[in-house]
Amino acid sequence: MSVIVPLRAALGVAALYVACATSEVRAEDASPWQRDTHSAVRLLAGSRSGTVLLGGVAIQLQPGWKTYWRTPGDSGVPPRFDFSKSDNVEAVTVLWPAPMKFDDGAGGTALGYKQQVVLPLRIVAKNADKPVTLRAHISYAVCDKICIPVDAQAELAFSSVASTEDGNLSDALNTVPKPANIGDSNPLTIRDIKREGKNNVLVDVTAPEAKEVSLFVEGPTPDWALPVPKLVDNSPPGVKRFAFELDGLPPGATPEGAALKLTLVGGDRAYEFNVSLN
């Protein structure tokens, strides 16, 4: 079994090394922190029950440093995970909390996380009655004014007892965008998406007036590098209009009929929309 997932909630940064020092004693719940100069990473295990298990990858960052979402934006390096050395594991799916936007230092917008993030893992065991050991090769980048690659190895056995990490993993799951459809009745939703000319796409969003809203777009494959949508000045009444260009397509790709994923974030709510571009 080999699963490699392309990459890319917060605790106070002061807790970074305190957490590192106090949590290693619970080996059945979390692996030891693997530290570099500017970050630390470890695996988390939820309570084991049945074939599907919940785990997590926890990353903590020093002040001013950040790491990236599965789609890094205008610049950056998405994290990558290899779980192929695990025991009794059929598949691992990485679930991604909604990212934040930040200046990439080159006039663009990057997408990712600061301070701390927990990426939930949905783990499918080959045999529910046998022990499960998750082994991860984790590659990610931490960036301030420069970017530094990090390479870490982590290992964690899942026990059958109740885990002290269940609460942390549940909180992390709540930060993962929920599936939604265009025109849903949620206060925060996408009302419409349409083409304007050959290369421009307009997305109309409804949202509570007090909420700051962000929109992110991904293509059907990781080699699509679509730009971060921007809020349009003078949007139509009752909506926030975002626009992005069909730029960054891989050679030979066409936007007609392409399956796009739109992630809408506002306050503590986030939703994912799968759409087909006409």
Side-chain angles (χ1 to χ4, degrees), residues 9 23 33 48 60 110 165 221 238 248:
S23 59
W33 286 101
R48 182 169 180 181
Q60 291 182 324
E165 295 296 335
T221 57

Side-chain angles (χ1 to χ4, degrees), residues 3-80:
V3 179
I4 301 178
V5 183
L7 212 203
R8 279 246 219 193
L11 287 177
V13 177
L16 174 60
Y17 294 110
V18 174
C20 292
T22 60
S23 59
E24 291 178 354
V25 297
R26 296 302 303 269
E28 72 275 16
D29 297 338
S31 65
W33 286 101
Q34 305 300 310
R35 304 182 189 91
D36 71 292
T37 306
H38 303 290
S39 69
V41 61
R42 66 174 178 173
L43 296 175
L44 307 179
S47 299
R48 182 169 180 181
S49 177
T51 303
V52 180
L53 314 176
L54 182 63
V57 175
I59 300 174
Q60 291 182 324
L61 301 153
Q62 286 192 340
W65 293 79
K66 55 257 185 186
T67 193
Y68 294 96
W69 193 41
R70 63 183 179 225
T71 299
D74 295 328
S75 63
V77 181
R80 296 185 180 272

Side-chain angles (χ1 to χ4, degrees), residues 8 71-72 217-227 246-250 252-260 277:
R8 279 246 219 193
T71 299
V217 59
E218 299 168 82
T221 57
D223 54 351
W224 285 54
L226 295 170
L246 293 170
D247 189 19
L249 277 64
T254 176
E256 281 68 29
L260 303 184
L277 194 61

Side-chain angles (χ1 to χ4, degrees), residues 7-8 13 16 36-40 59-69 72 75-79 99-117 139-150:
L7 212 203
R8 279 246 219 193
V13 177
L16 174 60
D36 71 292
T37 306
H38 303 290
S39 69
I59 300 174
Q60 291 182 324
L61 301 153
Q62 286 192 340
W65 293 79
K66 55 257 185 186
T67 193
Y68 294 96
W69 193 41
S75 63
V77 181
M100 65 177 66
K101 297 189 296 184
F102 41 80
D103 187 347
D104 68 357
T109 300
L111 309 177
Y113 311 102
K114 295 180 179 180
Q115 295 185 318
Q116 172 175 302
V117 64
S139 301
Y140 62 103
V142 292
C143 300
D144 185 8
K145 294 180 175 58
I146 60 171
C147 282
I148 299 174
V150 179

